[in-house]
Amino acid sequence: EIVLTQSPATLALSPGERATLSCRASQSVSSYLAWYQQKLGQAPRLLIYDASNRATGIPARFSGSGSGTDFTLTISSLEPEDFAVYYCQQRSNWPRTFGQGTKVEIK
Amino acid sequence: EVQLVESGGGLVQPGGSLRLSCAASGFTFSTYDMTWVRQAPGKGLEWVTYISSSSHTIYHADSVKGRFTISRDNAKNSLYLQMNTLRAEDTAVYYCARLSSWWEVLWGQGTLVTVSS
């Protein structure tokens, strides 16, 4: 099973600041990595798929990069609605696995 | 409206069984692969199981293998999760999700399963 490790666990930032979230895989997942956003009491929402492709309707301030074992989700300028928990997920191997999440909170 | 609606959650005793349903509407259900993902209270997401559009291919997480069974009825636009021999650690919100380009793009609102005596 591929283990995804996200860092940091919590990121405290102010609106307008840049957020950089990391996801590291225990073995190569090529570009088969996605990022999801989850707000309290809601289902997750797909943001980025195949490492760097924005899903439909996702604002351009969200971007993804990386391949192999190291991936990054960047939010260029935090909006109030971006404070949430973010998860990475791989689909390179079964079982599909998620990282443990990074909480982006207001500083 | 394109949506997924889960049902069937509730309180069940350890060792018991429960069957979750996911009703799809607004799209051609039979052409999409589907998954179940769960989330224990206050915890992260855990992928549970996958079924292809034709039901020919199925995968389960090791944590549920031999206890949970995914199935679908394309004529009824419905996805199911049969959960047997339930344990306290199966307590979670269970989401069904539709895959597009192999990713969970459309999610239901979730149904809570509580395993407790």
Side-chain angles (χ1 to χ4, degrees), chain A residues 32-34 36 38 42-44 46 49-50 87 89 91 94-96 98, chain B residues 37 39 43-47 50 59 95 99 101-105 107-108:
Chain A
Y32 301 132
L33 188 109
Y36 295 83
Q38 187 179 33
Q42 296 185 15
L46 179 67
Y49 66 95
D50 293 344
Y87 295 94
Q89 182 199 27
R91 68 167 183 89
W94 299 98
R96 299 160 76 98
F98 287 93
Chain B
V37 175
Q39 187 169 37
K43 302 298 184 182
L45 301 171
E46 180 187 13
W47 176 84
Y50 158 92
Y59 295 104
Y95 296 100
L99 298 186
S101 300
W102 288 101
W103 297 108
E104 283 84 348
V105 176
W107 296 68

Side-chain angles (χ1 to χ4, degrees), chain A residues 8-39:
Chain A
T10 304
L11 196 53
L13 295 168
S14 301
E17 289 194 293
R18 183 184 189 89
T20 303
L21 288 66
S22 174
C23 177
R24 177 163 290 180
S26 58
Q27 64 187 77
S28 176
V29 298
S30 186
S31 294
Y32 301 132
L33 188 109
W35 291 93
Y36 295 83
Q37 176 194 68
Q38 187 179 33
K39 298 179 182 178

Side-chain angles (χ1 to χ4, degrees), chain B residues 13-94:
Chain B
Q13 292 189 339
S17 298
L18 210 55
R19 189 196 198 203
L20 304 184
S21 298
C22 171
S25 58
F27 64 96
T28 307
F29 177 71
S30 62
T31 64
Y32 288 91
D33 299 349
M34 301 290 294
T35 66
W36 287 95
V37 175
R38 67 183 181 183
Q39 187 169 37
K43 302 298 184 182
L45 301 171
E46 180 187 13
W47 176 84
V48 176
T49 183
Y50 158 92
I51 187 169
S52 63
S53 58
S54 62
S55 302
H56 285 164
T57 302
I58 288 174
Y59 295 104
H60 291 95
D62 287 345
S63 58
V64 306
K65 204 170 289 183
R67 301 187 299 123
F68 289 13
T69 302
I70 189 172
S71 64
R72 64 192 295 160
D73 185 336
N74 286 341
K76 294 183 177 180
N77 294 326
S78 292
L79 176 73
Y80 306 103
L81 184 65
Q82 178 65 44
M83 304 186 294
N84 299 330
T85 320
L86 283 160
R87 306 166 180 166
E89 55 264 36
D90 296 318
T91 294
V93 173
Y94 285 74

